[in-house]
Amino acid sequence: MADRKLPVARKALETIKPYVPGKPIEEVERELGIKNAVKMASNENPLGPSPRAVVAMQELVHKVHLYPDGSCHYLRGKLADAVGVGPDQIIVGNGSDEIIKLLAETYINPGNSAVMANPSFSEYDFAVNLMGGECRQIACVDFKHDLESMAKAITPDTKLVFICNPNNPTGTIVTKTEVGAFMSRVPEDVVVVFDEAYYEYVSHPEYCSGLEYVKKGFKNVIVLRTFSKIYGLSGLRVGYGIAHPELISWISRTREPFNVNSMAQVAARAAIDDEEHVALSREENQKGKELLYGKFEEMDLPYWPTETNFIWVNIKTDCRPVFQAMLREGVIIRTGDIFGFPEFIRVTIGTEEQNQRFIRALTKVLGK
């Protein structure tokens, strides 16, 4: 059979770098012939899902032959009550990742730009490039958003600005004062996206949620949050956005029907009420954070204080061989090279047992 030409894909796809997720436990165990591996790479809640969410899903199992509520009516209502806005100010997505993509589909045309920090969450870059836009990546200062430089990078073609607060992969935040100065310089026709995936873990007194601006009536601000982190529902893929009703209306036009499955909707509704699970998750995270800080200091490894459930650490050597050696010890971590920092790792704060196992493995691998 004669060779046939491959259909030409959109030019924008030439710039797309596929997302590389953390290695699954099953894959590591299968490839290396080991058992009982622990995954400390993807910032999942080590305590598992909200027990209330589990019960809610079990009760729904016999109804999964029916399509889900396409508008997420009850979940939007529950979320609206929880954050103090109207249901028309909420959009629910297949993870907050989907809402990032919807934002790009709504606002980015070829020739438009978006401003973001570097390093930060890679999905911003993906979504903007997918629509043929330009990504203006502004280097962090001491691994923290440089909001002053980000404001200067905004030009008449800029449509979106992404502020990951707390930032992934560094765990740092920008403060109320810094956000206020930044917002005073942002044109009204530029959408500011506050990605607050780790909001529930934050304890810093100077933290500023973008929700303050939504409640003040800013029409160009959207706040993204998720059930994938502290609520322990990563496998269900459910996140949400909070914004002015008009902004939500425009974004909703790009949303696919039935984008959030039934299990995700009922689990999220139940998880919102599970204050005990959230409180316990925060408490265990704080204990693990303090333990790991101490161990890193003993090992003379610089780390950045975090407002999340992960820690950004300088291991002072090439992270790739360390990553491979840690896999052989049954511990999965995230390498910093994918963010452009080959001597760094990002490690999820786990249970006490997982944290101790991680430290034992890292000590062995680094010869500490």
Side-chain angles (χ1 to χ4, degrees), residues 75-91 210-217 223 225 240-245 248:
L75 177 54
R76 286 191 300 111
K78 192 90 173 180
L79 287 166
D81 289 343
V83 301
V85 300
D88 60 350
Q89 292 183 260
I90 302 285
I91 184 171
L211 188 59
E212 292 185 21
Y213 291 90
V214 174
K215 291 184 175 181
K216 288 177 182 176
V223 175
R225 293 183 182 170
Y240 60 103
I242 314 162
H244 190 278
I248 294 294

Side-chain angles (χ1 to χ4, degrees), residues 109-176:
N109 284 308
N112 292 147
S113 68
V115 177
M116 61 202 70
N118 182 34
S120 196
F121 189 39
S122 64
E123 288 302 282
Y124 313 144
D125 181 281
F126 161 78
V128 173
N129 278 320
L130 186 65
M131 299 309 298
E134 175 197 353
C135 294
R136 293 183 184 151
Q137 297 190 353
I138 308 304
C140 288
V141 175
D142 197 24
F143 293 114
K144 177 179 173 181
H145 281 57
D146 180 356
L147 291 185
E148 182 176 354
S149 295
M150 290 175 69
K152 291 178 181 178
I154 297 172
T155 59
D157 62 28
T158 302
K159 296 297 182 182
L160 299 171
V161 177
F162 292 96
I163 300 176
C164 191
N165 196 30
N167 189 35
N168 178 11
T170 64
T172 56
I173 64 161
V174 282
T175 65
K176 185 184 296 288

